[in-house]
């Protein structure tokens, strides 16, 4: 049984930093592209970043330079370092495992998803 579990969310002041972690079990981690998505209240889910099996990284413009995705295949863990946080980064953040990135949106859509971790940025 595949399990994807995020952690590291919380409350932070604007300009601050958070590091999200995601641990996946029940799958061969390094066979999967891994991504982060987020969904703010009343908005559609959007891709935040993706890292391919080979370590190629993708970011949308609205997080590029502030967020860094990384993976540790030995630990089956994905990370998202978020710096210079803004109030508009407030959302539930989800980790996902899929076949490929294609972009930060991941295509095809990931097969496995976590339950999410809440990030709230106070302005």
């Amino acid at each position: 049984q595949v399990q994807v579990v995020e952690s590291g969310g919380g409350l932070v002041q604007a300009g601050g930093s958070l590091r999200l972690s995601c641990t996946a079990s029940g799958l061969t981690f390094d066979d999967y592209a891994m991504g982060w998505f987020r969904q703010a209240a009343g908005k559609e889910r959007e891709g935040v970043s993706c890292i391919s099996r080979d370590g190629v990284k993708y970011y949308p413009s609205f997080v590029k330079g502030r967020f860094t995705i990384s993976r540790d295949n030995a630990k089956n863990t994905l990370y998202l370092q978020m710096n210079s946080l803004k109030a508009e980064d407030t959302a539930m953040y989800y980790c996902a495992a899929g076949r490929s990135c294609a972009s930060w949106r991941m295509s095809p859509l990931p097969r496995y998803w976590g339950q999410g971790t809440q990030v709230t940025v106070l302005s």
Side-chain angles (χ1 to χ4, degrees):
Q1 181 181 357
V2 175
Q3 284 193 314
V4 179
V5 180
E6 305 93 337
S7 62
L11 201 64
V12 65
Q13 293 285 340
S17 298
L18 279 175
R19 187 196 197 201
L20 305 184
S21 299
C22 165
T23 300
S25 59
L27 51 74
T28 304
F29 186 78
D30 48 4
D31 281 350
Y32 285 83
M34 298 296 298
W36 289 99
F37 292 77
R38 70 186 185 187
Q39 187 166 21
K43 295 189 177 181
E44 292 187 355
R45 184 180 64 197
E46 61 183 359
V48 173
S49 62
C50 185
I51 184 167
S52 72
R53 290 174 291 178
D54 297 332
V56 179
K57 303 175 184 181
Y58 301 84
Y59 303 96
S61 58
F62 56 84
V63 305
K64 203 166 188 179
R66 300 189 299 123
F67 291 10
T68 302
I69 191 171
S70 61
R71 62 190 297 164
D72 185 336
N73 290 341
K75 295 182 178 179
N76 282 18
T77 301
L78 176 74
Y79 302 99
L80 185 68
Q81 178 67 43
M82 304 187 295
N83 299 327
S84 302
L85 283 162
K86 306 175 182 180
E88 51 263 44
D89 294 318
T90 294
M92 185 72 79
Y93 282 71
Y94 298 91
C95 172
R99 186 192 307 169
S100 63
C101 287
S103 75
W104 59 87
R105 297 187 183 96
M106 297 187 77
S107 179
L109 279 177
R111 180 174 181 182
Y112 302 111
W113 294 82
Q115 293 299 306
T117 186
Q118 178 67 37
V119 171
T120 302
V121 184
L122 302 175
S123 58

